[in-house]
Amino acid sequence: MINPRNPLWRYSSLGVLMVVFFAFLYIPIIVLVVLSFNQNQTATIWTNFSFDWYKTVLENPNILRAAQNSLIVAAVSTVASTVFATMAALGMAGKTFKAQNAFNGLVGLPLLVPEIVTAVASLLFFLAIGLELGLTTVIIAHVVFCIPFAYLPIRARLEGLDPKLLEAASDLYARPWQAFARVTLPLLLPGIVSGAMLAFITSMDDFVITFFVAGAGATTLPVYIFGMIRTGISPEVNAISTLLFAASLVIVMLSFFISQKK
Amino acid sequence: MGVSARASKRTPYSATRRAGFGVEFALKMTADANALVIQNIGMVFGSGVGAITALEDVSLTIGSNEFFTLLGPSGCGKTTLLRLIAGFEQPSTGSISLYGQHLEGLMPFERPVNTVFQSYALFPHMSVSQNIAFGLEMQRKPKLEIQKIVADMLELVRLTGFEARKPAQLSGGQQQRVALARALANRPKVLLLDESLSALDAKLRKEMQLELKRLQLETGITFVFVTHDQEEALTMSDRIAVMKNGKLEQIGTPTEIYDFPRSRYVADFIGETNFLTGIAEANGLRLPDAQLLEVLHSRPLGANVDVAVRPERAQITQEGAGLNAVVREVVYVGTDTVVYLEIAAEVFRVRMQNHGGAAKIVSVGEQIKLVIPPDAVRVLEAES
Amino acid sequence: MKRSRMLGRYALISPAAMLIFVFMLLPMLLMALMSWLEPGQFGGVKWGNYTPEAYVKFLFDRDLSDVLLFDTDYLSIFSRSFQLALVTTVLTLLVAFPVAFYIALQTPKHRTWLMLLITIPFWTNLLVRTYAWILLLRNGGLIDSSLHSLGVTATPINLMYTPIAVQIGLIYAFLPFMVLPIYTSLEKLDWRLLEAAYDLYANRWQTMRRIVIPLAAPGMVAGCILVFVPALGTFFIPELLGGAKTLMIGNLIQQQFGVSRNWPFGAALSFALLAVVLTFMLIYALRFRGKGTLTQ
């Protein structure tokens, strides 16, 4: 492979670009995190290191309820979307059949369509069928757009599975369901876990669709934060934003390390 | 059937091993019952215009305790036939029976037959022991019995101590042996091996060939082995079935196949061969350059006949009787010297064993006499 | 036996397929339908009457005597959105390509870590990341006060609520979306091709132009779509950073469901946006059949 030390593969100007690039990417986040610990209210003058804002945030009942809603929605959506996605991936595996292309298109739909279009369409749909906006509508919408995120890693993992392994299992007297339980499922598990984590993050982070289909009392954390920002900058926003960022970060790293392990 | 390796010291296999393989084993029991009867098997994939006929009217019987090889180039149908025996495909026509029991309609997990795959197909998430134990667990054998069998198997393939390793931590040769152990643990009536040695490097391959032979002798299980390597087939087999384009060309023991090939294809596929063609006469063949090749034959006079001669059966002499030929090239390959001659506008190779230095000193362009003993000439079947 | 197999497979796929069909596909058709209705008094729609009013509203305004006057307001919003999305796509492409190329050159171990660094912003909350820019851009914010204290500016500069702010926010949001697919393409690149090019007297720039870029093209196209489409329909980035002065399609749509109380119009706008996106998709599918980088 390439030896980066070889001058043939050295592009010196790129090094500078990379530094600028990562600085651009991370400085705003770092600023946010740092300021959240700033005692001072004005958010630009640094006075003291303080956890005050975190305390305020964690004692705010509205925030806590929003966080609880987010977790409930994310948990239910993750479980449901992962289960359906796993089933779908298993159904799609193997010899090609006619409906496969249609399903691929269907599964890609939530990824390709702009979120606002999905949000509006969902809102109108719920209105038309008379479903009241609330936690249920949020969960339904989340399950739908989490399915592709769970599906892709599982599908990828399934495709990497050697079909000869299943033949070997059959050759060694395993019935189809035994082969599934003892060979397919264990090997698929990293993909399923990865998919579940992606679904969870996507659900936790979603704003636009939730904004449109959440009723009163079904506010999730991103929607609540948006409301806070709308009313003005305050250090509490910094704190809660940092918390949300930290949560996403933890899950991303976990998902990453799990997918690295073969 | 004793499966443990301890028996190896008592069986006469060590004696036969020292005697060298490729020699008929007088000590080995000849097949007394037919393990596999394959009757008029046909296999067609797909339908209509794009249909592929993988096998056409193949019939053969494989005896018990036999090392049987299916030999042929890729696409000849040998792997397809193996998969039909294993149960991964169902034949389009014909039947396969195992000790009298018909196998049609039976799923792989319903057949007392096990397979060693070309890519080994070891379960990557299970340890060596778990892999070997898998088939036994599926058969609901008691735990203690499984443990014993696994230990015996590991000893048989000489991998004791590797119980907890994962396949990824094993070398190619070790993976091969685990795959073997996993299959043999189930004491199948027939063991199927699908080009199992092709992924190994040359030296390891030769070692494994001997190993496989040893295992078959020790366990007494019928081995059906698929390969495209004719040397490998000659080394290990009790009998070989040469296949071409989905049909059987010839079945026989290694010496039968090598010394008495029936068709041009078999003669060409197995080992090196020289081909000559001529008009049949009373005493032999009249070659295109009017020389007479002496051979005993039963062809009608005046017919076109093809014959095959192995390079090591012919000799070169400067004086005396023989066919006139011209030396075109002399190639020294260490163990032998190969002399390329031109006779009757054909290339004829003569292979001579070297005993210190080149066997024969001839120069390019020299006119020499080619001596072919009449019993070394194989009359080939007319191509249909 | 084969029949039951197929049935089993359809059964496995159907929950996911049904969910997406019922709650995404159907609603979009419904949305198209509802754009032909009249707006309700307090939001919502009035069923019954069908009118093309929503679509008329897009191009025309009715004055007091109900005469149609050509109105460019909404068109200008659409064009601004296109502009912003286009600039975002181009700029992210120009930055992402060298970045992806650099990462692809590194050793596998370094590549993993670098990609992790890019993946983190990709999967963390976009709202939070955009909010961080408010902290930087506003009056008295970090950029303003830094420049001030460095003596570069005397008076506070106004960065918030400008198209520039929205543009920066868009680029910031979508950079990772461009890097990932391009990197996927480059990762599969056979570097021996570059060696062959050098051997045949091509210099580095020529090799880049004639070998690397064409081979990375599928990834670049995928990235462009992954950036352009969401950028076009983005809602809260212009909302937070652009304010009333920099409306994009997203804001406009949201307004119809908020203060403007014209749901059918919102539906019509959404449908128009969807139609534009689908057109691009169709062009992509027809021209670049078989390049599967989009689903990475």
Side-chain angles (χ1 to χ4, degrees):
Chain A
M1 269 301 302
I2 299 190
N3 178 8
R5 307 228 176 281
N6 184 341
L8 190 61
W9 306 110
R10 287 273 205 92
Y11 293 76
S12 46
S13 43
L14 280 185
V16 176
L17 175 67
M18 293 303 287
V19 173
V20 171
F21 173 77
F22 279 112
F24 178 65
L25 215 51
Y26 278 92
I27 284 183
I29 302 179
I30 296 175
V31 167
L32 172 64
V33 172
V34 165
L35 284 181
S36 70
F37 292 106
N38 187 3
Q39 192 183 48
N40 189 308
Q41 265 213 11
T42 53
T44 35
I45 310 166
W46 180 263
T47 44
N48 249 327
F49 188 92
S50 133
F51 278 111
D52 286 349
W53 309 118
Y54 286 94
K55 257 204 286 193
T56 325
V57 154
L58 292 172
E59 284 165 4
N60 183 335
N62 291 329
I63 290 186
L64 290 177
R65 188 167 34 236
Q68 185 185 19
N69 283 340
S70 276
L71 284 172
I72 294 177
V73 169
V76 176
S77 313
T78 301
V79 170
S81 61
T82 307
V83 167
F84 295 142
T86 309
M87 289 168 66
L90 289 169
M92 287 287 281
K95 289 198 212 124
T96 50
F97 60 101
K98 275 168 284 183
Q100 248 177 1
N101 277 327
F103 184 77
N104 275 328
L106 212 55
V107 133
L109 209 57
L111 297 173
L112 295 173
V113 172
E115 267 200 294
I116 191 147
V117 173
T118 314
V120 166
S122 304
L123 175 65
L124 292 174
F125 182 75
F126 291 136
L127 173 72
I129 65 173
L131 188 57
E132 231 184 84
L133 297 182
L135 221 49
T136 321
T137 47
V138 176
I139 292 179
I140 294 177
H142 277 229
V143 171
V144 171
F145 73 70
C146 280
I147 288 179
F149 287 97
Y151 176 76
L152 291 175
I154 300 179
R155 178 86 202 271
R157 183 90 186 161
L158 200 56
E159 291 200 336
L161 204 64
D162 183 3
K164 293 273 183 238
L165 290 177
L166 290 175
E167 277 191 356
S170 182
D171 181 78
L172 293 164
Y173 314 111
R175 316 217 145 238
W177 60 268
Q178 283 173 308
F180 175 75
R182 297 288 303 270
V183 181
T184 311
L185 206 54
L187 289 172
L188 204 52
L189 210 53
I192 297 181
V193 170
S194 187
M197 290 185 139
L198 288 184
F200 188 80
I201 300 179
T202 309
S203 172
M204 284 292 294
D205 281 348
D206 178 69
F207 167 69
V208 178
I209 296 181
T210 318
F211 184 70
F212 272 77
V213 301
T219 313
T220 62
L221 207 51
V223 174
Y224 188 82
I225 295 178
F226 182 75
M228 284 176 82
I229 299 177
R230 266 264 200 77
T231 49
I233 308 292
S234 68
E236 285 119 340
V237 182
N238 295 351
I240 187 67
S241 300
T242 308
L243 283 176
L244 193 53
F245 171 73
S248 305
L249 182 64
V250 166
I251 300 189
V252 170
M253 310 269 295
L254 268 179
S255 169
F256 185 77
F257 284 117
I258 289 186
S259 65
Q260 288 299 303
K261 180 171 99 135
K262 261 307 161 159
Chain B
M1 263 187 288
V3 185
S4 85
R6 278 172 270 113
S8 67
K9 306 220 173 42
R10 285 183 267 126
T11 59
Y13 96 94
S14 38
T16 53
R17 190 177 178 178
R18 271 178 266 130
F21 292 113
V23 175
E24 246 114 345
F25 297 95
L27 295 162
K28 188 169 174 191
M29 283 166 42
T30 47
D32 46 18
N34 283 329
L36 276 171
V37 177
I38 298 171
Q39 277 179 319
N40 307 107
I41 285 290
M43 189 66 192
V44 181
F45 288 107
S47 60
V49 185
I52 300 177
T53 306
L55 291 170
E56 202 177 316
D57 201 25
V58 173
S59 298
L60 55 97
T61 54
I62 300 177
S64 62
N65 198 5
E66 187 170 18
F67 197 119
F68 193 90
T69 298
L70 299 173
L71 174 66
S74 48
C76 71
K78 54 193 195 297
T79 301
T80 309
L81 186 56
L82 203 74
R83 288 171 64 87
L84 285 175
I85 302 175
F88 300 125
E89 317 271 1
Q90 296 290 339
S92 310
T93 47
S95 73
I96 302 178
S97 30
L98 178 67
Y99 286 113
Q101 184 197 6
H102 277 262
L103 294 180
E104 288 84 72
L106 290 183
M107 295 268 93
F109 46 86
E110 291 167 327
R111 304 187 188 201
V113 165
N114 293 115
T115 308
V116 180
F117 291 81
Q118 186 173 9
S119 60
Y120 315 136
L122 296 179
F123 302 125
H125 58 297
M126 298 187 197
S127 69
V128 166
S129 310
Q130 287 169 332
N131 264 280
I132 299 178
F134 188 81
L136 301 166
E137 284 175 23
M138 292 297 121
Q139 293 169 79
R140 312 271 191 89
K141 299 240 191 271
K143 241 194 175 161
L144 280 176
E145 190 182 334
I146 295 182
Q147 279 176 357
K148 180 174 188 307
I149 295 180
V150 170
D152 282 345
M153 283 296 113
L154 284 171
E155 213 186 322
L156 184 67
V157 296
R158 297 197 273 240
L159 280 179
T160 316
F162 281 72
E163 289 87 354
R165 298 253 188 120
K166 288 270 174 69
Q169 298 166 301
L170 302 174
S171 72
Q174 290 165 338
Q175 287 181 3
Q176 229 261 358
R177 286 185 273 162
V178 175
L180 263 173
R182 183 175 73 174
L184 286 173
N186 305 286
R187 302 250 194 93
K189 297 270 178 11
V190 177
L191 182 70
L192 306 174
L193 301 108
D194 186 2
E195 305 225 38
S196 314
L197 304 183
S198 50
L200 304 173
D201 62 74
K203 180 160 179 285
L204 194 53
R205 200 164 172 170
K206 295 244 183 294
E207 284 173 20
M208 283 309 298
Q209 286 168 6
L210 301 182
E211 190 74 9
L212 276 180
K213 192 68 187 175
R214 169 185 82 88
L215 281 171
Q216 196 277 320
L217 288 172
E218 267 191 39
T219 58
I221 295 177
T222 306
F223 275 30
V224 180
F225 186 77
V226 160
T227 182
H228 59 270
D229 184 331
Q230 45 92 24
E231 200 180 307
E232 191 164 80
L234 293 174
T235 306
M236 298 194 290
S237 324
D238 291 330
R239 280 195 306 152
I240 304 175
V242 183
M243 295 179 69
K244 173 188 172 195
N245 289 340
K247 297 209 223 19
L248 274 180
E249 280 283 315
Q250 187 173 349
I251 304 182
T253 63
T255 35
E256 282 169 15
I257 299 269
Y258 186 80
D259 285 331
F260 302 98
R262 281 211 294 266
S263 66
R264 192 187 177 99
Y265 175 77
V266 176
D268 201 16
F269 193 79
I270 312 278
E272 280 183 326
T273 318
N274 295 301
F275 292 107
L276 289 172
T277 185
I279 312 281
E281 285 189 6
N283 292 334
L285 283 190
R286 184 67 56 183
L287 299 175
D289 63 355
Q291 303 195 73
L292 180 69
L293 175 66
E294 279 181 32
V295 61
L296 214 58
H297 71 89
S298 51
R299 286 299 181 79
L301 300 178
N304 265 324
V305 180
D306 292 327
V307 295
V309 182
R310 295 288 181 197
E312 69 273 11
R313 303 291 302 272
Q315 272 142 28
I316 297 178
T317 170
Q318 268 111 349
E319 317 285 314
L323 298 164
N324 293 320
V326 181
V327 176
R328 284 290 170 231
E329 232 183 296
V330 180
V331 181
Y332 173 75
V333 281
T335 48
D336 301 325
T337 298
V338 182
V339 181
Y340 289 76
L341 303 172
E342 188 186 321
I343 175 171
E346 295 255 25
V347 176
F348 195 97
R349 272 166 298 181
V350 178
R351 187 178 272 265
M352 296 168 285
Q353 220 177 27
N354 294 333
H355 303 282
K360 192 107 189 166
I361 314 293
V362 285
S363 30
V364 176
E366 194 178 325
Q367 301 266 17
I368 48 87
K369 295 281 186 192
L370 175 61
V371 179
I372 306 177
D375 64 324
V377 181
R378 286 288 147 261
V379 176
L380 300 173
E381 282 171 358
E383 302 266 323
S384 48
Chain C
M1 188 184 49
K2 284 238 171 105
R3 260 289 174 79
S4 66
R5 260 265 189 88
M6 282 310 298
L7 272 178
R9 293 176 82 181
Y10 276 115
L12 284 174
I13 301 183
S14 35
M18 287 309 299
L19 274 173
I20 300 181
F21 183 77
V22 170
F23 292 104
M24 196 164 265
L25 205 56
L26 231 46
M28 287 188 199
L29 296 173
L30 196 62
M31 176 178 79
L33 176 68
M34 287 169 86
S35 63
W36 293 87
L37 295 176
E38 284 177 1
Q41 209 176 10
F42 299 107
V45 294
K46 269 200 280 210
W47 295 95
N49 273 339
Y50 290 99
T51 154
E53 190 60 33
Y55 291 96
V56 169
K57 193 173 167 68
F58 185 61
L59 290 174
F60 300 97
D61 203 8
R62 287 184 189 278
D63 71 1
L64 291 169
S65 33
D66 228 19
V67 174
L68 287 176
L69 298 167
F70 192 66
D71 185 3
T72 57
D73 284 347
Y74 298 126
L75 281 179
S76 63
I77 294 181
F78 258 79
S79 84
R80 180 189 300 130
S81 297
F82 264 89
Q83 211 178 309
L84 284 168
L86 206 58
V87 172
T88 308
T89 309
V90 170
L91 287 181
T92 49
L93 185 60
L94 286 176
V95 172
F97 186 85
V99 168
F101 186 69
Y102 177 85
I103 298 181
L105 285 176
Q106 303 308 304
T107 55
K109 194 152 175 257
H110 282 134
R111 271 187 277 165
T112 316
W113 286 108
L114 285 171
M115 282 317 287
L116 178 63
L117 281 183
I118 298 202
T119 311
I120 289 177
F122 186 78
W123 287 107
T124 49
N125 196 311
L126 192 51
L127 185 61
V128 167
R129 289 201 293 139
T130 309
Y131 170 68
W133 273 100
I134 300 183
L135 291 178
L136 292 177
L137 289 174
R138 66 191 181 93
N139 267 342
L142 203 66
I143 293 185
D144 189 26
S145 41
S146 313
L147 288 176
H148 194 67
S149 50
L150 283 176
V152 177
T153 54
T155 51
I157 52 169
N158 221 347
L159 282 174
M160 277 291 285
Y161 307 119
T162 59
I164 302 280
V166 177
Q167 188 68 79
I168 295 179
L170 285 174
I171 295 179
Y172 185 70
F174 294 115
L175 255 182
F177 287 67
M178 183 65 86
V179 176
L180 288 175
I182 297 184
Y183 172 73
T184 309
S185 258
L186 285 176
E187 197 191 10
K188 300 195 194 108
L189 192 60
D190 185 354
W191 298 99
R192 290 171 297 189
L193 294 176
L194 299 200
E195 286 182 347
Y198 293 141
D199 181 73
L200 293 163
Y201 315 110
N203 63 29
R204 303 219 282 202
W205 173 239
Q206 287 169 318
T207 310
M208 180 73 67
R209 207 162 47 88
R210 300 286 300 269
I211 313 262
V212 181
I213 292 185
L215 287 175
M220 295 200 292
V221 170
C224 286
I225 294 188
L226 282 178
V227 170
F228 186 76
V229 167
L232 194 59
T234 180
F235 151 50
F236 62 83
I237 295 180
E239 178 82 21
L240 293 180
L241 296 174
K245 284 193 285 178
T246 323
L247 277 186
M248 289 179 72
I249 303 178
N251 309 79
L252 187 60
I253 295 178
Q254 192 270 329
Q255 270 180 0
Q256 306 313 315
F257 294 91
V259 289
S260 299
R261 305 267 180 104
N262 193 341
W263 289 35
F265 187 44
L269 289 170
S270 287
F271 185 68
L273 180 59
L274 180 63
V276 168
V277 168
L278 285 180
T279 316
F280 276 109
M281 289 301 159
L282 211 61
I283 298 177
Y284 171 83
L286 287 175
R287 271 206 77 196
F288 298 96
R289 270 261 182 87
K291 312 273 167 106
T293 354
L294 193 57
T295 45
Q296 291 301 321

